[in-house]
């Protein structure tokens, strides 16, 4: 895994799996999957993240 970040502004957890350029994305409600041209997963966005996790869990994820 390359990077995990949390955006308070939009309440989204971003999980960066690769540095490859994003070619397209698929939206599945609360989750947006971003893919490279070769269909490899590059980035996962989890929207409304606080709805799914406790504050303690969010703090622990961002601390690591």
């Amino acid at each position: 895994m390359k990077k995990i970040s949390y955006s308070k502004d939009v309440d989204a957890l971003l999980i960066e799996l690769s540095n490859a350029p994003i070619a397209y994305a698929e939206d599945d409600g609360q989750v947006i999957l971003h893919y490279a041209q070769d269909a490899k997963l590059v980035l996962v966005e989890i929207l409304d993240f606080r709805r799914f996790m406790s504050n303690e869990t969010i703090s622990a994820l961002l601390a690591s």
Side-chain angles (χ1 to χ4, degrees), residues 12-41:
L13 185 74
L14 307 171
I15 304 168
E16 181 184 320
L17 304 171
S18 167
N19 291 328
I22 295 171
Y24 65 97
E26 294 180 359
D27 184 340
D28 188 20
Q30 302 305 122
V31 178
I32 302 173
L33 303 173
H34 299 265
Y35 295 92
Q37 188 65 38
D38 61 2
K40 290 186 180 175
L41 190 58

